[in-house]
Amino acid sequence: MKNALQILGVASLFAWTAIGGFAWFKVKSHVQVTIQEQGTEADEGLALLSDRLDVLGGDFDALVGSLEQNFALLANAMQAGTAGEAVENVRLAERLGHLEAALPEALSARETAVALSSVLSRLEHLSQNTERLPLALVGSDPAALASAPEPESVPLEATNASVSAAPLVAEAPPAVVPQPVVAAELSEAAEPAPKQSFLAFRLPSRDFIFEGLQTFEVLQDLSRVGFDGKSTLHDFTGVSNRVSGSFEVDLAHAEQGISGGIEIASASLDTGLAGRDEAMAEHLGTEEFESIRFEPTAFEPVEVDADGQRLVGNLRGRMVLHGVSRGVSLAIDAHVDESRRLVIEGELPLLLSDYEVEAPNKLGVIAMDDEVRVWLHLRARAQPSEVAH
């Protein structure tokens, strides 16, 4: 009886052990535990708020600058109007001066013309009656002609004589007529400057050009890069927000080329457990290889929506991890948010062994899978160009 009870106890122990192992296997396949750094969402919210305040501050500075420029334009326009009136007044005064100087000569010329007209009329009258004049008067001096009696009128057909002698009086000098002001002289002033809009403002936060080569700077406080890993115990996530870098691309024609790069501090990856972070840092060799870098080389567009400011495609480049560089392809989705920031999201599978990184393994009980899913969530802002676009 005693032996039977011992055998039953051992059998029960094995049975409970088997049941426990089976239950553990079933639970593990249905439960996923993700460790995430506490306060990440709150920190990101504060960073977004801070960036929004910076954007509004930039808008305010631009508004103040635009006001200064517009009021300067107004002052210049007022000064230009006053100067134009002064120039016109000077021109009118000059024209009046010319007319006043020429007036005496014009009056003298008019009097001379009237006197000549009287003499010529008298001579014409005398020439018509030459046949009836006494011979003694013919060829006499003008004074005699002037004192001759008025002859009777004769028919015009009877008059055949004509005056062929030299002019009796010298021609009067031509009157000095003031020169008219040429129209071109009135337009000697400089051509009017092109019209400029007044009270026109430009806000940087409302200014985003989708087409054209631009340089984008990664916003470190608003960007994250991480990975999702699996182990025999549970799944976990490593995150770093120490992301920096810049890149140059024409979003509307990204297939034409992209250059630059982004990098993270390898020691900044945080999985939420200090012991696991230490093991990961040891395997990554963070003291020797301080950064993980991605350098884009080409882009294969799948969807380009310039009106919606969205870009989808595959980004090719070089991943440098643990001192090893390999070509990778990253599926990305990029769009412009309400604050005119370029938001880039993407992911790619990666084998640690390809980069000579040994997956952590504790006593063969807790082992990490060789494959991890690398993901990124970047926010970048276009930098002002040297020349306005």
Side-chain angles (χ1 to χ4, degrees):
M1 186 65 179
K2 184 178 180 180
N3 291 335
L5 291 175
Q6 290 177 349
I7 294 172
L8 181 61
V10 173
S12 300
L13 181 60
F14 278 107
W16 280 110
T17 301
I19 293 172
F22 178 76
W24 170 258
F25 176 78
K26 296 297 291 182
V27 169
K28 177 183 178 297
S29 63
H30 289 82
V31 175
Q32 177 176 336
V33 179
T34 301
I35 306 298
Q36 186 175 5
E37 181 182 1
Q38 294 182 354
T40 300
E41 294 182 358
D43 293 342
E44 183 178 0
L46 290 175
L48 285 171
L49 179 60
S50 176
D51 182 74
R52 183 60 177 163
L53 290 176
D54 290 341
V55 170
L56 292 177
D59 286 349
F60 181 77
D61 292 340
L63 184 62
V64 172
S66 297
L67 282 173
E68 293 177 351
Q69 294 176 2
N70 279 288
F71 281 114
L73 288 175
L74 179 60
N76 292 337
M78 295 176 65
Q79 292 177 358
T82 303
E85 292 178 0
V87 171
E88 188 63 25
N89 290 337
V90 169
R91 289 177 178 168
L92 290 175
E94 290 177 352
R95 292 179 64 188
L96 290 175
H98 290 317
L99 292 174
E100 184 178 0
L103 185 59
E105 297 180 357
L107 292 176
S108 176
R110 183 177 181 277
E111 292 176 358
T112 302
V114 170
L116 286 175
S117 176
S118 176
V119 172
L120 289 175
S121 177
R122 184 71 173 172
L123 287 175
E124 182 180 3
H125 182 73
L126 291 174
S127 65
Q128 294 174 356
N129 299 279
T130 303
E131 295 180 353
R132 301 186 61 183
L133 289 176
L135 294 176
L137 295 177
V138 177
S140 302
D141 57 9
L145 292 176
S147 60
E150 284 283 344
E152 296 179 2
S153 61
V154 295
L156 291 176
E157 55 270 15
T159 305
N160 297 318
S162 62
V163 180
S164 58
L168 299 178
V169 291
E171 294 183 0
V176 178
V177 182
Q179 296 296 323
V181 179
V182 185
E185 182 182 344
L186 296 177
S187 59
E188 286 179 355
E191 295 183 359
K195 293 183 178 180
Q196 301 186 35
S197 58
F198 179 62
L199 293 180
F201 305 105
R202 173 184 170 273
L203 299 180
S205 67
R206 301 300 178 193
D207 211 8
F208 188 95
I209 302 174
F210 194 80
E211 185 171 1
L213 191 63
Q214 300 181 85
T215 299
F216 292 87
E217 190 78 22
V218 175
L219 303 175
Q220 178 173 317
D221 294 338
L222 299 177
S223 301
R224 291 179 295 144
V225 173
F227 69 92
D228 296 333
K230 295 182 179 182
S231 69
T232 53
L233 183 60
H234 54 68
D235 300 344
F236 64 97
T237 296
V239 182
S240 172
N241 59 2
R242 290 180 57 185
V243 189
S244 61
S246 63
F247 52 92
E248 189 177 58
V249 65
D250 179 351
L251 295 176
H253 307 284
E255 71 281 358
Q256 295 180 356
I258 179 172
S259 61
I262 63 171
E263 65 179 28
I264 67 171
S266 54
S268 65
L269 287 168
D270 189 356
T271 65
L273 290 178
R276 183 167 52 205
D277 291 343
E278 292 176 2
M280 182 177 60
E282 180 182 351
H283 285 271
L284 291 176
T286 56
E287 292 184 358
E288 181 179 359
F289 309 105
E290 298 181 353
S291 65
I292 301 172
R293 183 172 178 83
F294 173 74
E295 300 173 351
T297 57
F299 183 77
E300 300 172 353
V302 174
E303 178 185 351
V304 179
D305 183 4
D307 294 334
Q309 297 185 330
R310 185 167 179 262
L311 180 66
V312 179
N314 297 312
L315 180 62
R316 297 187 179 275
R318 306 290 300 180
M319 176 76 76
V320 182
L321 171 65
H322 196 239
V324 179
S325 175
R326 288 188 177 274
V328 296
S329 179
L330 182 69
I332 68 165
D333 186 332
H335 68 277
V336 180
D337 67 8
E338 69 282 355
S339 294
R340 299 302 187 267
R341 295 173 296 224
L342 182 63
V343 181
I344 305 174
E345 296 178 327
E347 63 177 43
L348 77 155
L350 183 144
L351 295 178
L352 296 176
S353 56
D354 287 345
Y355 298 88
E356 302 177 4
V357 177
E358 182 182 355
N361 188 321
K362 288 189 176 182
L363 303 176
V365 177
I366 303 177
M368 178 181 173
D369 290 355
D370 184 39
E371 182 178 285
V372 296
R373 183 181 70 93
V374 176
W375 53 265
L376 56 83
H377 183 86
L378 305 179
R379 287 186 176 92
R381 178 164 284 123
Q383 299 302 296
S385 57
E386 296 296 331
V387 290
H389 189 174

